[in-house]
């Protein structure tokens, strides 16, 4: 029996992507080698810190115990997020392939920075990090392995989405270039592409109204880029399942 290193498990409504609005069981793994500067769950990096276990920031949970938690929740949708779940791919397999979980819908959320073998998921949700979100230039070819992962996922009958959080116009067009680079031609009519405004608008110490207004301004700016580009045709004519969505959990956060 393997152990999955977790930060937390919780029940929530999925706030982004194809399954937005779906009540789900969330499994947040600990540890992340990407460490995005704009990360909203920095506490999930705890596996990288020696004090993490001692402070209770993460725990090692036997796969059987995780299966029991999921079954007891009675929810049919399970989301494995992080951190970076791909760094514990073998342990994930022990959980998701368990007989007691047959018939459930699994989403694996990954940054795409770590290549891993397919596991029995329903949706592979890949969120590559663009320059604006990383706050430094990185070569797009660091994601070239995604082409093979996307191809094998579709061949196995899985769903795939590329989910981009966009800070500015440069991020948006960088995401377009990456999409063309990593999505094989035969799957472009099937893959789902999701654009979302960045959540960097939220700041501690300002009012709920200001937080929400800032997020809406980011949404408005991205909407303008998105519609103008769509009307111009070109790239997105080959990707019919491309859309702009808000992150519902961030809207909720702004109203807390």
């Amino acid at each position: 029996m393997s152990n999955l290193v977790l930060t937390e498990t919780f029940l929530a409504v999925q706030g982004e992507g194809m399954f937005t609005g779906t009540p789900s069981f969330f499994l947040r793994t600990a540890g992340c080698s990407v460490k995005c500067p704009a990360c909203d769950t920095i506490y999930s990096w705890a596996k990288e810190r020696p004090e993490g276990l001692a402070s209770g920031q993460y725990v090692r949970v036997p796969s059987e115990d995780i299966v029991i938690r999921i079954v007891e929740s009675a929810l049919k949708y399970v989301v494995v997020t992080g951190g970076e779940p791909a760094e514990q791919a073998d342990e994930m397999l022990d959980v998701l392939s368990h007989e007691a979980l047959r018939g459930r819908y699994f989403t694996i959320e990954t940054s795409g920075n770590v290549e891993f073998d397919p596991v029995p998921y329903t949706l592979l949700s890949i969120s590559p990090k663009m320059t604006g979100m990383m706050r430094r230039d990185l070569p797009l070819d660091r994601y070239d392995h995604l082409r093979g992962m996307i191809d094998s996922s579709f061949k196995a009958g899985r769903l795939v989405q590329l989910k981009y959080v966009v800070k500015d116009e440069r991020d948006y067009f960088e995401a377009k270039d990456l999409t063309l680079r990593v999505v094989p031609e035969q799957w472009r009519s099937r893959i789902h592409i999701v654009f979302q405004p960045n959540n960097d608008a939220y700041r501690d110490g300002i009012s709920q109204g200001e937080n929400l207004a800032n997020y809406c301004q980011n949404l408005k700016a991205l909407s303008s880029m998105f519609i103008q580009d769509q009307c111009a045709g070109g790239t997105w004519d080959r990707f019919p399942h491309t859309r702009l969505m808000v992150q519902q959990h961030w809207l909720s956060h702004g109203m807390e």
Side-chain angles (χ1 to χ4, degrees):
M1 181 186 303
S2 64
N3 295 321
L4 201 58
V5 186
L6 302 179
T7 301
E8 59 184 339
T9 62
F10 57 96
L11 310 183
V13 172
Q14 173 61 285
E16 56 187 356
M18 290 173 60
F19 294 148
T20 293
T22 307
S24 304
F25 182 99
F26 282 80
L27 194 64
R28 188 181 302 284
T29 63
C32 181
S33 60
V34 183
K35 297 180 173 62
C36 303
C39 179
D40 57 352
T41 54
I42 290 177
Y43 61 89
S44 68
W45 301 356
K47 185 168 177 281
E48 310 297 325
R49 307 189 187 111
E51 71 274 16
L53 186 59
S55 65
Q57 289 178 291
Y58 74 87
V59 292
R60 300 182 186 277
V61 183
S63 57
E64 290 284 351
D65 289 356
I66 298 171
V67 170
I68 291 171
R69 294 185 194 182
I70 295 172
V71 171
E72 289 180 345
S73 77
L75 294 176
K76 294 299 183 184
Y77 285 78
V78 179
V79 181
V80 186
T81 187
E84 177 48 77
E87 295 175 1
Q88 299 186 66
D90 291 342
E91 292 79 8
M92 270 199 300
L93 178 61
D94 281 352
V95 173
L96 304 191
S97 61
H98 198 284
E99 181 67 25
L101 300 184
R102 185 181 296 274
R104 280 174 168 77
Y105 302 91
F106 298 104
T107 296
I108 304 296
E109 296 187 339
T110 175
S111 66
N113 283 267
V114 179
E115 185 173 6
F116 64 103
D117 292 331
V119 295
Y121 51 82
T122 308
L123 171 64
L124 178 62
S125 179
I126 309 169
S127 300
K129 310 307 177 188
M130 301 295 95
T131 295
M133 299 308 295
M134 293 301 291
R135 300 177 188 159
R136 64 183 186 276
D137 289 322
L138 292 169
L140 283 183
D141 62 8
R142 74 189 189 277
Y143 287 121
D144 279 357
H145 61 273
L146 291 181
R147 188 175 182 88
M149 289 175 61
I150 291 170
D151 185 57
S152 62
S153 293
F154 276 118
K155 286 179 177 176
R158 312 302 186 191
L159 298 171
V160 184
Q161 70 180 9
L162 282 170
K163 180 162 56 67
Y164 297 110
V165 176
V166 174
K167 183 178 179 67
D168 51 30
E169 188 175 41
R170 178 181 178 180
D171 275 3
Y172 176 74
F173 287 104
E174 190 175 298
K176 282 183 64 174
D177 290 343
L178 180 62
T179 300
L180 288 169
R181 185 182 187 101
V182 302
V183 182
E185 186 75 37
Q186 68 268 37
W187 305 123
R188 292 181 180 182
S189 64
R190 291 181 55 185
I191 194 167
H192 288 252
I193 312 295
V194 177
F195 284 97
Q196 302 172 148
N198 74 301
N199 53 35
D200 216 17
Y202 286 103
R203 294 286 184 271
D204 292 332
I206 66 174
S207 70
Q208 295 174 350
E210 287 176 295
N211 268 330
L212 189 57
N214 288 340
Y215 189 82
C216 289
Q217 280 297 111
N218 285 359
L219 175 61
K220 182 178 179 180
L222 179 56
S223 295
S224 178
M225 285 189 289
F226 189 70
I227 193 65
Q228 289 178 22
D229 195 43
Q230 288 278 343
C231 289
T235 299
W236 301 125
D237 288 346
R238 287 165 279 173
F239 296 88
H241 303 297
T242 302
R243 56 195 184 276
L244 171 63
M245 302 179 71
V246 298
Q247 295 170 299
Q248 285 190 2
H249 53 292
W250 273 103
L251 290 179
S252 299
H253 176 77
M255 297 304 292
E256 288 177 354

